[in-house]
Amino acid sequence: MTLGPPPRRQRRDLAPGAVHLPDWLDHAQQRRLVQAFRDWSAGPVPIRAASLPRGHQMSVKTVCLGWHWQPYTYTRTADDANGQHVLPLPDWLIAIGRSALAQAYDSASADSWHPDTALINFYDDNARLGLHQDKDEIVNQPVVSLSVGDTCQFRFGNTTHRGKPYHDLDLASGDAFVFGREARFAYHGAPKTYPATANPAAGLAHGRINITMRVTGLH
Ligand code: SIN
Ligand code: MN
């Protein structure tokens, strides 16, 4: 028996508006994101595990661009940390998000998309993100998610509750995932990461970085 090459991971439309684009980022882009992540993590508002309203800390660590996010609000300054302004959302990152959106939807959708924030999450081997909706943004504009480093299990569900139906899929280094339109307020989460699964060419020795670019609708 001969083993052929592994099957190519292909674009998948999970629901209207929810599109998985595997291997969207090349290795150079992934390394650029890893380096940028290191720079962003240093501050002016350093990466931290945000506190939930009842006092628990998230297992995921987060650094923000454009707007500062804490559960469950956006502010201009990091009022739950050192009070500083976060760094701006760079145009080169928006351009990567737009290219993913053009592929997932169409170029008109990409051209009219103006994200004003990015949340950058770092997952160590034990970090996880429970099922939630991204609903601190007040407009229905797509979210573009980029993943670098270890693969995670990603759960993408429906817009009404945390239960079935949902899809479980792997988000690997270089994958993009777009959710907008009817799927914009779908429940989703990252129940587990798979340690030591990253391609070393991505430039991240351990853990997983996820970047979500969003339009807050805030002024
Ligand atoms: C998020 O839900 O905001 C992040 C999702 C992910 O880590 O893939
Ligand atoms: Mn989310």
Side-chain angles (χ1 to χ4, degrees):
M1 189 179 87
T2 48
L3 288 176
R8 260 189 75 77
R9 300 170 64 239
Q10 288 179 345
R11 172 197 174 114
R12 188 165 161 215
D13 293 61
L14 286 94
V19 184
H20 179 205
L21 300 172
D23 304 318
W24 180 249
L25 303 166
D26 65 27
H27 289 154
Q29 286 174 310
Q30 293 175 53
R31 286 193 295 271
R32 183 178 193 184
L33 290 175
V34 171
Q35 185 53 52
F37 167 73
R38 294 194 174 113
D39 296 342
W40 298 330
S41 296
V45 182
I47 191 166
R48 91 298 186 216
S51 292
L52 296 166
R54 288 164 187 253
H56 282 97
Q57 277 196 321
M58 294 175 68
S59 58
V60 169
K61 293 189 171 63
T62 307
V63 62
C64 312
L65 304 174
W67 287 86
H68 179 77
W69 178 83
Q70 70 176 97
Y72 295 99
T73 185
Y74 287 101
T75 48
R76 279 292 181 199
T77 52
D79 303 333
D80 63 333
N82 62 6
Q84 298 291 303
H85 283 262
V86 301
L87 292 169
L89 180 59
D91 288 340
W92 63 265
L93 186 58
I94 296 174
I96 294 175
R98 263 197 197 122
S99 71
L101 196 52
Q103 178 73 24
Y105 293 176
D106 51 57
S107 55
S109 305
D111 292 346
S112 62
W113 184 66
H114 299 283
D116 59 347
T117 192
L119 273 54
I120 300 100
N121 286 336
F122 180 77
Y123 296 73
D124 67 17
D125 292 353
N126 301 312
R128 56 192 297 279
L129 194 61
L131 279 186
H132 65 279
Q133 294 169 293
D134 291 356
K135 60 178 183 185
D136 298 323
E137 305 79 22
I138 60 171
V139 288
N140 184 354
Q141 286 289 314
V143 175
V144 176
S145 148
L146 306 172
S147 294
V148 180
D150 287 337
T151 299
C152 81
Q153 184 190 72
F154 185 63
R155 180 165 291 179
F156 193 80
N158 61 81
T159 55
T160 53
H161 55 75
R162 289 183 172 78
K164 292 180 177 176
Y166 50 68
H167 296 275
D168 285 338
L169 60 148
D170 285 351
L171 290 183
S173 199
D175 288 8
F177 190 93
V178 173
F179 56 104
R181 299 179 172 166
E182 297 97 310
R184 172 60 181 79
F185 295 102
Y187 282 88
H188 60 278
K192 58 182 168 191
T193 60
Y194 301 106
T197 49
N199 184 336
L204 190 66
H206 79 280
R208 169 175 186 260
I209 297 167
N210 176 264
I211 299 171
T212 47
M213 277 174 268
R214 306 150 184 236
V215 181
T216 64
L218 302 169
H219 296 285

